[in-house]
Amino acid sequence: ALSGSQRKIASLLHNKTYGIMSDPLTQFACVFSALIHDVDHSGVPNTQLVKENLHLAGAYKDKSVSEQNSFDLAWNAFMDERFTELRSTLCATEEELGRFRQLVINSVMATDIMDKELKTLRNARWNKAFSEESTIEGPRPSSEEETNRKATIVIEHLIQASDVAHTMQHWHVYKKWNGQLFEEL
């Protein structure tokens, strides 16, 4: 059992992280997303994939081709019968599996930083979640809905920042990786 001060700290962490710190399924979804977000990535941007790989691009209607392909390949592997025990341990119900899947989709899709439409949608969701004034028409969402919206957008921005973290590294690391990208393109 937790002491009074431990409960207070746990409650503060829960509130300050929009429930992320107290939800093991969400935490695992973040780790899983980080691991799979570049599965089968060919090393070229989506715009180039659309030009070069018509079959793959067509399958995803020329939108976030690498990200959707990475998710699909990883999700299909995760749903294989070899991982039945893992899935049932992580997600006790179909509802939890659905929530896990949506968290992973949102996180992986957030790594497509070049799609202006997705960026506009993410920015709009950020503004809706963190605006000072409520611009929501109709019934006000529950506190849980607001917390979930904030947690989702925070996770999306964290994985997006992690995906391009090399740009925030020491100069020689930045130069090395961007030099390799330049050569590749």
Side-chain angles (χ1 to χ4, degrees):
L2 296 176
S3 70
S5 63
Q6 289 172 323
R7 278 193 302 277
K8 184 177 180 177
I9 291 170
S11 177
L12 283 172
L13 276 175
H14 174 84
N15 293 337
K16 294 286 184 186
T17 64
Y18 309 108
I20 297 168
M21 288 296 296
S22 57
D23 183 4
L25 185 62
T26 298
Q27 291 174 18
F28 185 76
C30 292
V31 171
F32 186 75
S33 299
L35 290 172
I36 69 158
H37 83 277
D38 275 340
V39 166
D40 197 41
H41 197 294
S42 62
V44 297
N46 284 325
T47 52
Q48 194 65 29
L49 270 180
V50 169
K51 292 176 190 174
E52 294 177 1
N53 192 335
L54 298 178
H55 174 71
L56 190 62
Y60 298 113
K61 298 181 172 87
D62 298 343
K63 301 292 281 176
S64 303
V65 177
S66 288
E67 293 77 13
Q68 290 193 71
N69 184 53
S70 292
F71 172 80
D72 283 346
L73 291 172
W75 190 258
N76 289 339
F78 181 68
M79 295 306 290
D80 189 275
E81 68 181 42
R82 295 174 296 164
F83 301 111
T84 301
E85 190 175 344
L86 173 63
R87 280 193 313 277
S88 64
T89 301
L90 291 171
C91 307
T93 66
E94 285 295 317
E95 181 180 277
E96 283 184 350
L97 182 63
R99 185 168 69 89
F100 176 72
R101 185 177 195 278
Q102 193 59 57
L103 282 165
V104 173
I105 288 171
N106 289 357
S107 298
V108 172
M109 293 302 292
T111 65
D112 184 354
I113 60 172
M114 299 307 287
D115 186 311
K116 291 181 184 348
E117 191 176 315
L118 283 177
K119 181 179 178 359
T120 300
L121 290 170
R122 267 193 300 275
N123 288 346
R125 286 198 322 275
W126 178 276
N127 290 336
K128 183 176 182 178
F130 292 104
S131 68
E132 291 295 322
E133 298 175 17
S134 177
T135 58
I136 300 166
E137 295 179 17
R140 183 154 175 81
S142 71
S143 177
E144 183 179 356
E145 285 177 280
E146 289 177 12
T147 299
N148 288 342
R149 180 181 301 115
K150 288 178 180 179
T152 299
I153 197 70
V154 165
I155 290 167
E156 288 175 5
H157 279 77
L158 286 173
I159 196 158
Q160 189 180 77
S162 298
D163 191 36
V164 295
H166 68 282
T167 63
M168 297 174 239
Q169 298 295 318
H170 191 277
W171 174 249
H172 72 277
V173 175
Y174 174 83
K175 188 176 166 187
K176 172 187 171 183
W177 289 107
N178 280 285
Q180 290 180 357
L181 177 62
F182 178 79
E183 290 297 321
E184 184 178 298
L185 296 177

